[in-house]
Amino acid sequence: MLVRTLAATAAMSALSLGFAVLPAEAAPPARTFKNCTELNKVYKHGVGKPGARDRSSGKSVSTFVRSLALYNANAKSDRDKDGVACEKA
C-alpha cells in the first residue's frame, strides 16, 4: 500500500513539474539468423528454450544461451527438435 502511494505521489510530482511518465519500451524483436554458421558467430554454443537439454549423440552442450524469443526466431535451425538450436560444443 505504501509503495503504491509513493509511486502515485512520484508520478503526480513528475507531471506537475512537466515531466511525462512513459511506459517502458518493448524489447526489440529477437534476431533471426540465416543458418547455424551465422548464429554460432554470435552465440558460440547455440540458443535454446529455458529448461531445454541438448540430446545430441556426442557430448551434451549446456552452455548455450537460454532465450525463448531468440529460440523461437531460429527454431528452424533445431534439426533434432530438442529445444536447442545450433548447439555446438
Side-chain angles (χ1 to χ4, degrees):
M1 180 76 171
L2 179 62
V3 173
R4 277 194 275 175
T5 304
L6 290 175
T9 303
M12 283 196 251
S13 297
L15 288 173
S16 67
L17 293 174
F19 297 108
V21 179
L22 301 175
E25 291 185 33
R31 182 174 171 191
T32 301
F33 293 89
K34 181 171 57 172
N35 54 39
C36 284
T37 302
E38 297 298 314
L39 187 140
N40 289 138
K41 286 179 183 178
V42 179
Y43 302 101
K44 184 177 178 180
H45 301 287
V47 297
K49 298 176 185 179
R53 294 189 184 270
D54 176 29
R55 289 186 281 165
S56 62
S57 58
K59 184 179 178 188
S60 185
V61 178
S62 63
T63 54
F64 55 88
V65 172
R66 288 162 175 80
S67 166
L68 184 59
L70 192 55
Y71 173 80
N72 286 341
N74 295 283
K76 68 183 182 337
S77 296
D78 184 6
R79 291 183 220 137
D80 58 0
K81 306 297 182 210
D82 62 355
V84 184
C86 303
E87 56 264 48
K88 185 175 173 183

